[in-house]
Amino acid sequence: MKIGIVCYPSIGGSGLVATELAVQLADLGHQVHVISYSTPFKLPDFKANLSFHAVDPINYPLFNQNLYTFSLTTKIMEVAEEYELDIVHAHYSIPHSLCAHLAREISNNKFGVVTTLHGTDVTIVGKDKPLYRINQFGIEQSDCVTTVSRFQQKSIIEDFHIKNCVDVVYNFIDTNRFKPVCDAQLVERYKLVNSAEKILMHISNFREPKNVEAVIETFYRVQKKFNCKLVLVGEGPDLQKIKLRCRELQICHNVHYLGKMESVQAVVPLADCLIQPSKVESFGMVLLEAMACSVPTVSSNVDGIPEVIVDNETGFMHDPNDYESMAESVLKIFNDENLAKELGGNGRKRAIEHFSYQTIVPQYIEIYEKALRKQV
Ligand code: GMT
């Protein structure tokens, strides 16, 4: 198949999933064209069957508003015509899905449109009044719509009152890249902690839904009882607030900030426990990354997280603001090596069995075939 993949290029779940999907589809022999405003961070420089098309900005003094929607539509149309695309797969509805529909209307080449809703495009952006109707239109016009958890499927159907079917295709991971710690990585671990200390890790974009205050409050309780360090990976608007809180609690000496990282597979396996207390989370890619690396997790129990994590089996789940229980669970993991090993092992097994690319990518191919059948 000839497939166009439209996504955001920045570090974040939807761009990551879209890029990994592009790579896997290219490996399977499909011709894949990634379309975005800059090169997605995970896209390989060169790969057979895979090419990248940058959206050209429109710069004319009269247009003081950003016309990204039109420049993206134009690029989708150009790529679709030049490479005779069969499918355009829009990751994140706004504005990608709408642009794909508009491009199809204008284009001489009629392609199928598949939209994957990742979470905030529905839960936060989608419910926003000015965007609600156009988001609803974008979803309804798609030949196939997918989303990343059953929770999200239910809320899309309820919030948007749409008539078309929404398929759940879970996010996936390459368990050959995300794997348990190896000896070489242990050298890196001992740059962060000494051999008696444990690592509690949090990885996110430090935005409001990630509830990073809960990470700090939980860690504060844990470090009183166990010799450990908090390792924070990522950047975002709440980072400054968090740094301030660490100063107030006088725990700065126990916190490492590693910043934004392209390859978290280098650090995830170093953790003894990964904490993700999100208030909103349609899936939780980082939890899957931890599971694949045999790292036990302590997380919130919201939205799609219970579809990824099995409570008491791969990690522990609590209410997002129940710092006491989260701290107790982290301590349980730190204090009991056998339990940590068991949870980690179960997590890796679950990642391989349910969320490997070998299991999930064929599901997307089936969706493309379904969308193509609607075109004839
Ligand atoms: O989590 C974010 O803020 C980023 C966001 C995105 O669109 O990149 O992530 C969403 O999509 C990911 C990939 O499907 C999911 O794993 C995340 O759970 C989802 N985030 C939210 O629902 C808050």
Side-chain angles (χ1 to χ4, degrees):
M1 262 182 273
K2 294 173 211 140
I3 304 157
I5 296 220
V6 185
C7 65
Y8 284 110
S10 47
I11 298 183
S14 62
L16 176 78
V17 171
T19 312
E20 288 289 341
L21 178 61
V23 168
Q24 297 302 336
L25 290 168
D27 272 345
L28 290 171
H30 299 282
Q31 299 296 315
V32 186
H33 299 269
V34 175
I35 303 169
S36 191
Y37 60 78
S38 68
T39 315
F41 71 104
K42 281 279 184 184
L43 201 73
D45 287 337
F46 169 74
K47 186 163 183 64
N49 301 330
L50 185 62
S51 50
F52 169 65
H53 307 268
V55 177
D56 310 305
I58 301 173
N59 291 316
Y60 184 69
L62 180 67
F63 306 134
N64 67 350
Q65 297 276 335
N66 185 342
L67 292 185
Y68 182 65
T69 305
F70 291 138
S71 43
L72 176 60
T73 302
T74 305
K75 185 54 75 180
I76 296 173
M77 192 183 65
E78 284 171 2
V79 175
E81 287 182 351
E82 187 174 348
Y83 298 95
E84 298 176 337
L85 296 185
D86 302 304
I87 291 290
V88 170
H89 186 173
H91 287 262
Y92 211 91
S93 61
I94 293 174
H96 302 162
S97 181
L98 230 23
C99 296
H101 299 309
L102 195 52
R104 175 165 64 180
E105 284 299 308
I106 305 167
S107 172
N108 299 321
N109 175 50
K110 299 299 174 206
F111 46 84
V113 175
V114 174
T115 299
T116 292
L117 301 164
H118 281 272
T120 46
D121 44 1
V122 183
T123 50
I124 296 173
V125 185
K127 277 186 193 161
D128 202 20
K129 276 213 164 74
L131 296 175
Y132 179 82
R133 290 286 299 280
I134 56 167
N135 209 5
Q136 185 184 46
F137 179 82
I139 298 169
E140 275 182 343
Q141 292 298 307
S142 301
D143 297 301
C144 293
V145 179
T146 79
T147 191
V148 298
S149 61
R150 289 198 301 274
F151 160 82
Q152 202 59 39
Q153 178 193 46
K154 189 166 173 280
S155 57
I156 294 162
I157 294 169
E158 283 172 6
D159 292 348
F160 289 95
H161 313 287
I162 50 164
K163 287 169 205 74
N164 37 350
C165 123
V166 179
D167 288 299
V168 175
V169 180
Y170 284 124
N171 286 333
F172 60 92
I173 194 154
D174 182 346
T175 52
N176 296 318
R177 274 195 297 117
F178 281 85
K179 53 185 186 215
V181 71
C182 63
D183 289 348
Q185 284 169 319
L186 282 178
V187 177
E188 298 306 316
R189 178 186 162 94
Y190 294 124
K191 289 177 188 162
L192 296 168
V193 285
N194 66 41
S195 57
E197 288 173 324
K198 300 274 187 201
I199 295 180
L200 179 65
M201 189 176 286
H202 173 75
I203 305 177
S204 79
N205 52 20
F206 291 77
R207 292 196 194 130
E208 213 254 325
K210 300 299 172 190
N211 195 18
V212 194
E213 312 85 88
V215 173
I216 304 301
E217 298 303 329
T218 302
F219 177 70
Y220 176 65
R221 288 158 176 76
V222 173
Q223 54 90 50
K224 281 189 196 163
K225 297 190 176 156
F226 203 104
N227 213 354
C228 58
K229 293 274 191 290
L230 176 65
V231 173
L232 297 173
V233 183
E235 263 177 15
D238 284 353
L239 192 57
Q240 274 320 98
K241 201 165 77 184
I242 291 316
K243 286 188 174 169
L244 198 67
R245 185 68 185 136
C246 288
R247 254 178 264 148
E248 280 167 8
L249 295 171
Q250 301 184 339
I251 54 171
C252 296
H253 57 290
N254 279 333
V255 183
H256 290 294
Y257 300 95
L258 302 190
K260 222 171 183 172
M261 231 176 244
E262 290 195 2
S263 301
V264 290
Q265 69 262 33
V267 290
V268 178
L270 306 182
D272 295 290
C273 176
L274 184 122
I275 180 162
Q276 184 85 352
S278 308
K279 294 181 205 160
V280 183
E281 200 69 79
S282 65
F283 182 88
M285 213 36 211
V286 172
L287 291 167
L288 177 56
E289 290 168 347
M291 274 166 49
C293 296
S294 292
V295 173
T297 59
V298 171
S299 68
S300 60
N301 48 10
V302 302
D303 304 351
I305 291 181
E307 294 171 55
V308 182
I309 295 301
V310 183
D311 199 20
N312 287 307
E313 220 178 285
T314 67
F316 298 108
M317 288 189 289
H318 301 285
D319 288 340
N321 292 320
D322 187 353
Y323 312 144
E324 296 301 335
S325 302
M326 284 196 275
E328 262 173 43
S329 289
V330 175
L331 283 165
K332 217 161 143 183
I333 291 168
F334 282 179
N335 278 311
D336 187 343
E337 299 253 328
N338 288 332
L339 173 71
K341 243 193 199 141
E342 194 187 321
L343 295 169
N346 292 343
R348 177 145 175 94
K349 190 163 169 271
R350 182 166 167 76
I352 292 171
E353 281 176 6
H354 297 275
F355 303 107
S356 68
Y357 70 83
Q358 292 93 331
T359 304
I360 304 295
V361 174
Q363 296 177 18
Y364 274 120
I365 295 172
E366 260 178 51
I367 300 278
Y368 297 160
E369 284 164 354
K370 191 160 103 178
L372 278 179
R373 285 196 294 275
K374 291 191 178 174
Q375 291 301 297
V376 288

